Amino acid sequence: MLTAPRKDYPLAPELQSKIDLVLESHDYDATQIVGILLDVQELEERHYVPEATAYYLAAKLNLPVTNIFDCLCFYAQLSDKPRAKYPIQVCNSPACRVNVIDTKRLLETLESLLDIKIGETTYDGRFTLETISCFGACDRAPAVRINGQVYDHLDSREKIEALLRSLP
Amino acid sequence: MSTVKFLTQNFGAYDVNSIGSYMKIGGFNALRKAVNMEPSAISDLIAAVKVKGRGGAEYDMGRKLSQARAVVGENKIVICNADEGETTTFKDRELIKNDPFNLIEALIIVGYAVGATDGYIYMRSEYACYRPVILNAIRQAKSYGFLGENILGKGFDFNIHLYSGAGAYVCGEGTALIRSIEGKAGRPRMKPPFIKQSGAFARPTCLCNVESLSLVPHLLMDDQEFYARLGSGDSIGSKLISVAGNVNRPGVFEIAFGTTVREIIYDLAGGVQKNRAIRLIQFGGASGKVADASVLDTPYTYEGLRGAGVMVGSGGMLIIDERTSVLDFLLMNQEFFSEESCGQCTPCREGNLHIKIILDKLAEGKATDEDIRQMKKIAQVMSVSSLCGLGETAQNSLLSAMKVFPSVFQPGGKNK
């Protein structure tokens, strides 16, 4: 089997035990790697899977680490690079985008409020702007998704501002 | 005409966290009935009301189940495809949220009907908030003996596993979904082998949509043949549709087949915002076809919509008003496919790239006759030569728009 050489990274014991809990909830089943990675990346404040964690999972699940990075690169909801504390995922599908706010679309409003472009992170590391495909909240459009939670009916600049302020 | 309540009859009728509450309204009676029937009788019952796969491919479900049963092989699998990734489609979300026990019961019944030992629910990560509800339903069903070994004393063993996607539209395609369940990146593969013979973990696999599955327990208990009397022509029964875009009351509605598009938009969805004119309607999600307002009096049936040049597909309906131009819409739809193409096969990867380039040129008013001819040719090549359904259907909207709105595709001028 084609595998990268295994590395020995020290993981903080608290993180390690949290990862072990996630693995246990998935019965240490390597076929559930996608679900495991989704849960594991939520353990990090910056919502990503660090290299050390990937190697740790590979060892625990007896998977080639290349398999893990293949998944991390393939699935839009997984990341191997640090994101913001609040990655703002903006729906980029027509159903959301045809609902206009003050003649400016949701994305442009967010860009001007945060003063960043798509794919960028604010200087304080609080917000990243990402576009994603439909997340099934078309009846509540225009909507964004932040850390798994959908915030809907963002049809005015005031509502968007209030949302950004309400995040702790 | 208004909505009907067949598939949605359990919505709000029980506590989704309690199996006891579900059993009080007759839950698991369909399973009790099913295990006393011949497995072939179950697929015959579904075939009799001509249920077509509700995910979008419109494959005859009764035939799918009898074929799955006929496949020779051990440890068969039934997969519930809850990776509802089509844009404007959120009907499965309502079924999962409001009626999770019915879905579990349906999966067990279909497992019995095809002779499977394992059921998998592959749910998109966007619906992760419903994971606890499903996991709880599985756990409770197990403790009541509806899952596990020797179910209801009939010597039938069946277990259900819940798997999560992670934001890949292509994983709604059968072979990609299966790769994802196997713990790999969800890239589609060539067929054959067909998944009914060699699917997940190389075991014979039967793949069904949430809505198709959810119908099964209701059909088994439908002694009055209420369902068979709904609908019109060859489109029997009811359909769950999701309506969104520039309408006043977007949402999920269960309609009897035969309701007109006008009734759906103006009665159920509350009409177009501020009474604007309709620019276009896209049926069946991102991979669906488009029509203009002339489709309004068409009955919503499989054959009616096909006659109007569109299709039922996933049951989504996107209504776009006059503020958005056809070209702007096509550009948005194209961005979706350019993003979601997995990049494995050349027609889909390159085709989506080049069509995007030509659409941009068209929007700038710089496209030539040759560009437009080329764009149509690429779209046609994609639909016949792509590896999977994503590439085959990605240009449905463009090709249908070229038919319905020919004036948009003129060289030079910037057209609406």
Side-chain angles (χ1 to χ4, degrees):
Chain A
M1 205 186 294
L2 195 65
T3 54
R6 208 164 267 175
K7 296 187 197 173
D8 255 340
Y9 283 104
L11 277 185
E14 312 89 79
L15 179 62
Q16 196 170 322
S17 60
K18 280 183 194 158
I19 296 175
D20 287 345
L21 276 178
V22 170
L23 287 169
E24 211 174 296
S25 73
H26 290 272
D27 303 327
Y28 285 88
D29 182 352
T31 66
Q32 299 195 24
I33 186 66
V34 178
I36 292 171
L37 290 171
L38 276 172
D39 288 351
V40 164
Q41 78 174 1
E42 290 315 306
L43 301 176
E44 296 284 333
E45 197 194 43
R46 304 285 300 260
H47 307 287
Y48 76 115
V49 180
E51 202 178 348
T53 306
Y55 275 90
Y56 180 74
L57 290 174
K60 278 277 179 177
L61 295 170
N62 203 14
L63 268 179
V65 77
T66 46
N67 190 154
I68 291 180
F69 278 100
D70 191 21
C71 289
L72 287 175
C73 299
F74 183 84
Y75 295 99
Q77 294 290 338
L78 297 175
S79 177
D80 60 344
K81 299 193 178 54
R83 297 148 84 200
K85 192 172 173 197
Y86 299 108
I88 305 179
Q89 302 182 314
V90 184
C91 177
N92 199 27
S93 302
C96 268
R97 282 170 70 185
V98 295
N99 282 295
V100 179
I101 331 157
D102 299 335
T103 69
K104 276 193 150 191
R105 317 244 162 179
L106 174 60
L107 193 58
E108 290 157 23
T109 313
L110 278 167
E111 282 181 342
S112 81
L113 279 173
L114 295 171
D115 198 21
I116 51 172
K117 294 269 164 227
I118 275 293
E120 293 178 353
T121 304
T122 50
Y123 70 93
D124 56 358
R126 272 174 69 78
F127 301 107
T128 305
L129 263 186
E130 303 172 353
T131 50
I132 64 168
S133 300
C134 188
F135 47 83
C138 318
D139 51 341
R140 297 148 70 186
V144 300
R145 193 168 177 265
I146 302 173
N147 294 332
Q149 171 119 25
V150 173
Y151 299 89
D152 53 6
H153 298 303
L154 298 171
D155 47 14
S156 73
R157 199 181 167 95
E158 292 70 45
K159 279 191 195 168
I160 298 173
E161 267 189 55
L163 164 65
L164 295 180
R165 277 185 221 290
S166 71
L167 297 168
Chain B
M1 203 178 273
S2 57
T3 53
V4 292
K5 257 187 166 322
F6 182 78
L7 186 57
T8 53
Q9 58 184 280
N10 291 347
F11 283 25
Y14 71 94
D15 173 7
V16 295
N17 292 309
S18 151
I19 194 169
S21 151
Y22 178 60
M23 285 166 73
K24 255 185 214 144
I25 61 157
F28 291 103
N29 284 348
L31 177 64
R32 287 199 182 89
K33 185 170 172 184
V35 293
N36 288 310
M37 287 165 74
E38 276 299 311
S40 60
I42 299 173
S43 48
D44 289 349
L45 191 99
I46 294 163
V49 286
K50 299 184 181 168
V51 176
K52 294 194 173 74
R54 303 285 207 233
E58 301 178 8
Y59 190 76
D60 190 309
M61 193 186 177
R63 191 194 296 168
K64 181 186 272 185
L65 297 191
S66 47
Q67 283 174 338
R69 193 177 52 252
V71 171
V72 182
E74 305 256 292
N75 300 323
K76 290 181 190 170
I77 290 177
V78 182
I79 300 178
C80 167
N81 184 349
D83 192 57
E84 186 176 46
E86 285 292 355
T87 59
T88 341
T89 306
F90 41 95
K91 59 179 179 67
D92 294 346
R93 183 192 76 193
E94 294 301 301
L95 287 167
I96 293 165
K97 183 168 85 179
N98 295 309
D99 205 1
F101 278 104
N102 179 64
L103 181 61
I104 300 296
E105 184 177 4
L107 203 51
I108 305 170
I109 294 170
V110 170
Y112 172 76
V114 306
T117 55
D118 287 283
Y120 288 83
I121 300 175
Y122 184 82
M123 191 159 74
R124 66 189 310 217
S125 63
E126 287 79 357
Y127 296 168
C129 48
Y130 307 120
R131 268 182 76 86
V133 177
I134 300 266
L135 285 172
N136 175 60
I138 295 172
R139 209 167 27 241
Q140 292 193 356
K142 197 162 194 164
S143 69
Y144 275 69
F146 297 121
L147 279 171
E149 284 171 13
N150 195 18
I151 293 167
L152 297 171
K154 295 288 174 186
F156 163 54
D157 304 341
F158 194 72
N159 281 299
I160 295 181
H161 319 270
L162 178 61
Y163 274 61
S164 180
Y169 169 74
V170 71
C171 285
E173 196 273 343
T175 59
L177 187 153
I178 279 165
R179 283 234 171 120
S180 186
I181 283 186
E182 290 170 344
K184 301 169 190 156
R187 295 189 189 90
R189 64 156 169 81
M190 295 276 269
K191 290 186 273 192
F194 293 101
I195 56 177
K196 65 183 165 203
Q197 278 121 11
S198 177
F201 312 109
R203 289 153 62 178
T205 299
C206 176
L207 180 64
C208 297
N209 175 261
V210 173
E211 189 187 345
S212 329
L213 280 171
S214 296
L215 263 175
V216 175
H218 297 308
L219 286 175
L220 277 169
M221 298 310 290
D222 186 21
D223 295 328
Q224 314 293 325
E225 301 199 333
F226 173 76
Y227 187 79
R229 277 183 275 117
L230 292 174
S232 89
D234 264 354
S235 304
I236 300 172
S238 63
K239 172 88 186 83
L240 214 52
I241 56 166
S242 50
V243 187
N246 301 130
V247 287
N248 286 319
R249 281 198 307 272
V252 175
F253 309 99
E254 185 180 6
I255 56 155
F257 277 115
T259 309
T260 66
V261 176
R262 185 187 300 278
E263 286 166 328
I264 294 170
I265 296 174
Y266 288 94
D267 296 348
L268 300 179
V272 181
Q273 295 161 355
K274 301 203 169 139
N275 266 324
R276 294 191 190 93
I278 293 175
R279 171 82 61 197
L280 65 90
I281 307 170
Q282 185 182 32
F283 289 85
S287 66
K289 299 177 181 176
V290 300
D292 58 10
S294 68
V295 79
L296 280 177
D297 290 309
T298 308
Y300 194 97
T301 57
Y302 285 109
E303 52 278 14
L305 290 186
R306 210 175 301 128
V310 288
M311 56 193 200
V312 170
S314 65
M317 267 175 74
L318 172 61
I319 288 88
I320 295 181
D321 69 26
E322 56 196 343
R323 290 173 303 168
T324 308
S325 72
V326 174
L327 212 48
D328 279 344
F329 160 74
L330 287 173
L331 277 164
M332 289 183 218
N333 214 49
Q334 186 52 47
E335 266 178 48
F336 175 81
F337 281 107
S338 300
E339 173 66 33
E340 294 297 336
S341 169
C342 81
Q344 250 193 136
C345 74
T346 311
C348 181
R349 182 187 62 239
E350 300 301 320
N352 278 315
L353 177 75
H354 286 273
I355 285 179
K356 169 89 169 63
I357 293 172
I358 299 175
L359 280 175
D360 281 335
K361 271 172 101 174
L362 199 59
E364 289 166 16
K366 289 182 186 156
T368 61
D369 260 330
E370 179 54 28
D371 284 331
I372 293 164
R373 259 200 307 278
Q374 194 67 268
M375 179 163 75
K376 189 169 182 184
K377 197 166 138 194
I378 296 171
Q380 285 164 339
V381 168
M382 279 174 72
S383 66
V384 292
S385 61
S386 292
L387 175 62
C388 80
L390 189 151
E392 285 168 7
T393 57
Q395 298 309 331
N396 271 350
S397 55
L398 176 68
L399 288 170
S400 59
M402 287 182 114
K403 263 187 220 155
V404 183
F405 306 99
S407 65
V408 175
F409 301 92
Q410 300 296 336
K414 198 174 174 183
N415 299 294
K416 277 277 173 184

